[in-house]
Amino acid sequence: DLVDRVRAFSRVSTEIERMESLIHDLLLLAELGESKPTTFEEVDLSELVSAHANDFAFFNKERKLDLNISDSLSVQGSREHLNRLIQNCISNIVRHAPSSAPVAITLRSKGKKVNLIIEDGGPGLPEGAYRSEIAAMNRFDPSRSRESGGSGLGMSIIAAIVQEHGGKLDLRKSELGGLAVDVELPS
């Protein structure tokens, strides 16, 4: 009947969107794993992080957001990939932390490096998942599944982007109680 057809088409449409997202993530991971170097340019990371933080604040008015973003911090890198790194970190918070969980975004100079820390007051990761070394295609928490909106490749993509930029990634317990994604990039 018509109701069943509408429901079936809706389900097919949802699955197509999910598969498109998964394919896009896999293609990005493959691109990041290629041996050919990405063309880097000077990227104003302060501007990029501020833009994402402002968007996050606009769409998440109920969250307490603490911003500590130093001005004029630049890195040599791929604007598109750095954009994706920040987007993935923020998307993880939206998907996995309660809407009441506080968020802190810090960008500062650390010697000859730039340090970006995005953290939340959500449930965090299982204790064994906090580390610097991230295996490709590793899902950190079985409760984080496609049903909660992700492909399970977000952290692998973040790790690959950090590696591509010659940086260091550390996943640790946040002072807010949840996850802190701590990225160091050469400036």
Side-chain angles (χ1 to χ4, degrees):
D1 70 353
L2 182 60
V3 172
D4 287 340
R5 271 190 283 173
V6 168
R7 189 178 306 130
F9 283 125
S10 174
R11 177 75 177 134
V12 168
S13 177
T14 300
E15 283 301 306
I16 289 171
E17 288 174 19
R18 191 182 70 74
M19 292 305 294
E20 285 176 341
S21 176
L22 179 61
I23 290 167
H24 180 73
D25 286 352
L26 288 169
L27 288 172
L28 178 58
L29 270 177
E31 176 186 325
L32 289 166
E34 288 178 0
S35 58
K36 71 175 181 139
T38 303
T39 305
F40 281 1
E41 61 182 297
E42 186 168 334
V43 177
D44 184 338
L45 200 55
S46 298
E47 175 191 317
L48 206 59
V49 172
S50 292
H52 279 280
N54 290 335
D55 289 349
F56 179 78
F58 181 79
F59 290 108
N60 295 275
K61 293 183 188 323
E62 70 283 0
R63 288 187 192 267
K64 178 183 179 294
L65 177 60
D66 181 26
L67 297 178
N68 184 9
I69 301 171
S70 298
D71 293 330
S72 304
L73 294 180
S74 295
V75 297
Q76 288 294 312
S78 162
R79 176 175 290 280
E80 178 187 349
H81 292 172
L82 291 169
N83 216 359
R84 182 64 184 271
L85 181 150
I86 299 163
Q87 179 185 1
N88 278 16
C89 291
I90 291 173
S91 292
N92 280 341
I93 292 170
V94 171
R95 276 192 194 111
H96 302 294
S99 61
S100 61
V103 174
I105 300 175
T106 304
L107 180 68
R108 63 184 177 212
S109 180
K110 190 175 178 184
K112 293 188 176 194
K113 298 184 185 213
V114 173
N115 185 215
L116 171 64
I117 303 168
I118 300 176
E119 55 189 317
D120 66 72
L125 297 174
E127 207 52 48
Y130 295 108
R131 60 185 179 277
S132 301
E133 313 240 341
I134 293 159
M137 315 260 255
N138 184 34
R139 192 178 292 277
F140 294 92
D141 182 349
S143 69
R144 294 183 174 205
S145 65
R146 70 181 185 184
E147 285 75 27
S148 62
S151 66
L153 299 175
M155 282 297 178
S156 295
I157 290 170
I158 290 169
I161 292 170
V162 170
Q163 182 178 21
E164 170 192 47
H165 286 80
K168 179 183 162 211
L169 173 64
D170 187 31
L171 301 180
R172 59 181 170 74
K173 190 86 169 153
S174 165
E175 292 180 14
L176 300 174
L179 172 64
V181 178
D182 190 334
V183 175
E184 276 187 17
L185 298 172
S187 57

